[in-house]
Amino acid sequence: MHSFTEENYLKTIYYLAARQEGEVTTNSLAEMTATKAASVSDMLRKLAEKQLIHYKKYQGVRLTEEGERLALKVIRRHRIWEVFLAEKLGFGWDEVHEMAEELEHIRSEDLVQKLDAFLGYPQFDPHGDPIPSPAGQMPTVEYTKLSEVTIGEEVQVMGVLEHSPEFLQHLDKTGLNLGCRVLVQDVNAFDKSVSVQINHEKTLFVSNEVARNLLVN
């Protein structure tokens, strides 16, 4: 049996490794978990002793096969709970993450399977993130950041990289929701902000920070 903290570390290492495409540093883990580097090192030693990670001091961290399997199980539970909270209980996409952080540690596989079936076997969570399969496979998605789209190209918003309530609430206010169509009209040469038309209706100026955190296709 693994502690909630251990599960959270495995999940965070998985996320960071996917984003960085390589071994994860102690400093990046400390920043992501808002924990002192010394405490992170202690936890990494524990995970290494359990053969859930490959870890050598000053050389970074990567998950073992068993560590990745456990991380994906936690991520699967988290994202299924997010779908349930949003679709069945009516919570906003800016509210479900923190609740799912608690619910993801309920380890009943029977519960997760029945919840998955009850929801109609969803493929994506409310933020557009793919849900790992029951066998622990993470679906591959090919998305581009809005900041990388060329002028004159029309795309559809598919997901977000930033999950903070403040960011998601900002998207709600501007109308940049999942599924909306976005036509890139111009890119400011100075600050890289983007002028877009949403659903062939209103025109909006999007900051580079927002554009870098919107995934489109």
Side-chain angles (χ1 to χ4, degrees):
M1 187 68 70
H2 307 289
S3 71
F4 293 176
T5 303
E6 288 171 341
E7 289 186 343
N8 285 335
Y9 265 82
L10 293 173
K11 181 181 64 173
T12 303
I13 292 168
Y14 181 90
Y15 286 147
L16 287 171
R19 188 178 301 176
Q20 299 171 189
E21 297 183 350
E23 293 193 345
V24 176
T25 66
T26 302
N27 286 339
S28 63
L29 266 173
E31 183 179 347
M32 190 83 165
T33 59
T35 308
K36 292 181 179 179
S39 299
V40 171
S41 296
D42 288 342
M43 176 56 70
L44 293 180
R45 281 192 288 271
K46 291 179 184 178
L47 294 174
E49 287 171 4
K50 293 186 176 185
Q51 299 184 328
L52 297 174
I53 62 170
H54 297 289
Y55 171 61
K56 287 186 179 180
K57 202 170 182 180
Y58 309 120
Q59 292 186 18
V61 185
R62 58 189 172 88
L63 296 172
T64 62
E65 187 174 327
E66 176 64 9
E68 182 170 323
R69 185 187 71 81
L70 289 174
L72 286 166
K73 286 181 73 172
V74 178
I75 293 168
R76 172 175 164 78
R77 295 197 297 259
H78 180 102
R79 293 179 178 176
I80 287 175
W81 276 115
E82 284 190 334
V83 175
F84 174 76
L85 291 165
E87 291 190 0
K88 302 302 180 183
L89 299 187
F91 287 103
W93 69 333
D94 58 318
E95 300 175 294
V96 297
H97 177 74
E98 288 304 319
M99 296 176 190
E101 284 287 299
E102 303 294 327
L103 294 166
E104 70 185 24
H105 299 296
I106 300 174
R107 297 189 177 98
S108 170
E109 286 303 313
D110 188 43
L111 173 61
V112 174
Q113 289 173 10
K114 289 186 176 180
L115 191 61
D116 192 25
F118 175 66
L119 295 168
Y121 304 103
Q123 300 298 304
F124 298 90
D125 74 9
H127 308 109
D129 295 318
I131 297 174
S133 71
Q137 299 295 317
M138 178 67 83
T140 302
V141 289
E142 297 292 336
Y143 295 152
T144 303
K145 295 177 183 177
L146 180 60
S147 58
E148 298 170 355
V149 176
T150 56
I151 295 173
E153 188 176 355
E154 183 174 320
V155 293
Q156 185 173 25
V157 177
M158 303 300 292
V160 293
L161 290 174
E162 171 62 58
H163 289 189
S164 70
E166 294 79 10
F167 179 72
L168 299 175
Q169 289 162 12
H170 173 72
L171 296 184
D172 281 338
K173 289 177 183 176
T174 58
L176 281 167
N177 304 117
L178 297 193
C180 74
R181 304 293 303 181
V182 175
L183 173 66
V184 176
Q185 296 179 319
D186 194 21
V187 178
N188 186 291
F190 174 67
D191 63 5
K192 305 301 180 185
S193 60
V194 185
S195 172
V196 300
Q197 186 181 53
I198 302 174
N199 292 327
H200 306 287
E201 296 173 354
K202 70 174 183 177
T203 297
L204 182 74
F205 286 95
V206 179
S207 71
N208 180 254
E209 179 67 18
V210 170
R212 287 192 295 110
N213 281 288
L214 277 176
L215 298 174
V216 299
N217 197 357

